[in-house]
Amino acid sequence: MFTVKTLNKISNVGLSKFDEAKYTIDDSAQSPDAIMVRSAAMHDMEMPSSLLAIARAGAGVNNIPIPKCTDLGIAVFNTPGANANAVKELVICGLLLSSRKVTKAIDWCKTIKDEGDNVGKTVEKGKSAFAGPEIKGKTLAVIGLGAIGRLVANAAESMGMEVYGNDPFISVEGALSLKRDVHLVKTREEIFKECDFITVHTPLVDDTKKMINKETIAMMKDGVVVLNFARDLLVDDEAMCEALASGKVKKYVTDFANATVAGRPGILVTPHLGASTEESEENCAVMAVKEVRDFLENGNIKNSVNFPNCDMGTCVAVGRITIAHKNIPNMISQFTKILGSEGLNIADMTNKSRGGYAYTIIDLESAASKEALDELRAIEGVSKVRVIK
């Protein structure tokens, strides 16, 4: 029986995918096998020794202490692409709102509600103040071509925009999923200079932190519109406010409200609504539950942010163990030597690495003994040994 702790409200559509015969869902569990989380901060949280996995029902994992989890052998999962359509739709909405002065027009219409029969005449006189350009024919830079960025690029191209994309880490599959008229460029700086609209869709890492800053804004076209529905710290808010005040930037659209941007002229702010759709929350929860179940029940890893993808299918062997360990020489030979000395025959095995860490799944023709498991755990560089079966 596995215990899953929820730190936030998780869609019941996803939680219902846990087999009631095998799982207990408890938001107050002290010794959970897995944690399901959305936005709750975990950096100051004590990780119980029972904890095997953390699943983030969403893409970003800034609220989870990844290095600490990795050292403890705790697999951290996210759900890339599960909320991509929801974010894409809001980005397209942001493009339109920033171009057509829709929000100002809505606010103005509220002021004429008491004019009775004269409303129509007032509208005809006043509507010209809210005219704005179409986005068709304008240039759009999409920085980051992951699941969301690709959808945005394709949607914008379908709406008649000329789209430029940049992502040095785009996969072959990702590139093939782009419409053929999307232009791929090698550096961000190339499209800073060319585009009327710029939207960012990258993870927050050292290379991308505040990548929209005083220096990069200076490279952009006068009157550019910048959109950020990815991570708050991708944009230097102080530099953005200065650029808006000077007229260099026409509009800034962000999904990350804070004291610097909220209520500022020229900035359209939404309260982190990118993935806030019923469909998105359900998709993320379902994907996260599937990842956790496969990991707990079979030892397989898919969409982990700290360990490599590693899959041996459904466990049908007599015994299966998994080992989370550092990616250093002679680890596999130590594993096989210990198992062999205990009279355990290996039926199948796979080992995958990711940076400084690795993960090994071993199927055995008989159940592993306590002595063998203790010896494996004692190897320097091994962080977690699990018995799946």
Side-chain angles (χ1 to χ4, degrees):
M1 195 76 173
F2 297 108
T3 299
V4 177
K5 182 174 185 175
T6 55
L7 298 185
N8 298 104
K9 183 179 179 181
I10 305 295
S11 168
N12 286 328
V13 173
L15 295 180
S16 67
K17 303 297 181 183
F18 282 121
D19 186 343
E20 292 183 0
K22 296 180 181 179
Y23 291 88
T24 298
I25 312 299
D26 184 355
D27 61 7
S28 61
Q30 297 301 306
S31 301
D33 299 285
I35 286 175
M36 301 280 290
V37 63
R38 289 178 63 197
S39 58
M42 298 185 65
H43 286 276
D44 295 329
M45 178 179 169
E46 279 295 322
M47 300 298 170
S49 59
S50 62
L51 188 60
L52 303 172
I54 298 171
R56 161 79 164 94
V61 290
N62 293 11
N63 57 320
I64 302 171
I66 305 299
K68 179 179 179 180
C69 291
T70 307
D71 288 340
L72 294 172
I74 299 168
V76 179
F77 298 90
N78 68 346
T79 57
N83 60 12
N85 186 69
V87 179
K88 175 209 76 176
E89 289 185 0
L90 198 59
V91 173
I92 298 302
C93 177
L95 282 171
L96 296 169
L97 292 177
S98 64
S99 183
R100 293 292 297 275
K101 300 182 183 178
V102 174
T103 56
K104 287 186 177 180
I106 291 171
D107 289 340
W108 178 73
C109 283
K110 294 176 183 178
T111 69
I112 62 174
K113 62 184 178 62
D114 296 325
E115 294 191 17
D117 294 339
N118 292 322
V119 166
K121 293 180 179 179
T122 302
V123 165
E124 288 304 312
K125 291 180 180 179
K127 69 180 184 180
S128 61
F130 308 106
E134 299 178 11
I135 62 172
K136 183 179 179 180
K138 304 302 187 296
T139 52
L140 170 69
V142 182
I143 300 174
L145 294 167
I148 296 170
R150 294 198 301 272
L151 289 181
V152 170
N154 288 342
E157 195 277 336
S158 295
M159 296 173 72
M161 301 190 80
E162 186 172 356
V163 181
Y164 294 81
N166 164 255
D167 191 333
F169 305 107
I170 189 171
S171 64
V172 173
E173 179 185 5
L176 290 174
S177 71
L178 286 170
K179 292 193 171 185
R180 64 180 182 179
D181 289 332
V182 174
H183 310 285
L184 291 177
V185 298
K186 292 183 179 180
T187 67
R188 299 192 290 255
E189 288 71 21
E190 289 180 63
I191 45 182
F192 283 156
K193 302 172 184 177
E194 302 294 332
C195 293
D196 303 303
F197 295 82
I198 297 172
T199 180
V200 291
H201 298 283
T202 68
L204 180 62
V205 295
D206 290 342
D207 180 55
T208 61
K209 186 175 182 179
K210 293 190 177 182
M211 66 178 177
I212 305 298
N213 54 49
K214 185 174 182 178
E215 289 73 27
T216 54
I217 290 173
M219 300 178 189
M220 298 175 188
K221 293 176 66 173
D222 291 345
V224 68
V225 174
V226 179
L227 301 96
N228 179 15
F229 288 84
R231 299 287 179 271
D232 54 349
L233 292 179
L234 296 178
V235 175
D236 182 332
D237 287 337
E238 296 290 347
M240 181 58 67
C241 289
E242 291 178 11
L244 284 160
S246 71
K248 177 69 177 181
V249 174
K250 177 183 176 182
K251 280 282 192 301
Y252 175 44
V253 188
T254 178
D255 201 24
F256 306 99
N258 60 48
T260 302
V261 300
R264 284 292 189 102
I267 303 181
L268 300 177
V269 187
T270 49
H272 207 178
L273 296 180
S276 294
T277 67
E278 183 178 340
E279 296 88 347
S280 174
E281 292 178 6
E282 290 176 359
N283 291 341
C284 289
V286 168
M287 183 183 287
V289 169
K290 287 181 178 179
E291 293 164 354
V292 168
R293 286 198 60 175
D294 199 20
F295 180 69
L296 294 181
E297 296 173 26
N298 298 303
N300 298 323
I301 292 180
K302 183 178 181 180
N303 293 329
S304 170
V305 299
N306 60 339
F307 284 101
N309 285 350
C310 194
D311 191 341
M312 288 257 289
T314 302
C315 181
V316 295
V318 175
R320 174 177 287 185
I321 61 174
T322 66
I323 308 171
H325 57 93
K326 289 186 177 179
N327 183 25
I328 53 179
N330 300 321
M331 296 300 281
I332 302 302
S333 61
Q334 291 184 79
F335 301 160
T336 56
K337 181 179 179 180
I338 289 171
L339 296 172
S341 67
E342 292 290 335
L344 296 166
N345 194 45
I346 296 175
D348 199 1
M349 178 173 68
T350 186
N351 168 266
K352 301 293 182 181
S353 63
R354 179 175 183 170
Y357 291 86
Y359 186 76
T360 301
I361 304 175
I362 303 174
D363 279 355
L364 302 167
E365 292 184 352
S366 56
S369 64
K370 179 181 181 303
E371 290 74 20
L373 295 171
D374 287 342
E375 288 186 61
L376 290 171
R377 293 185 178 105
I379 296 173
E380 186 174 354
V382 169
S383 53
K384 183 88 71 177
V385 176
R386 290 181 56 209
V387 177
I388 303 299
K389 188 177 177 183

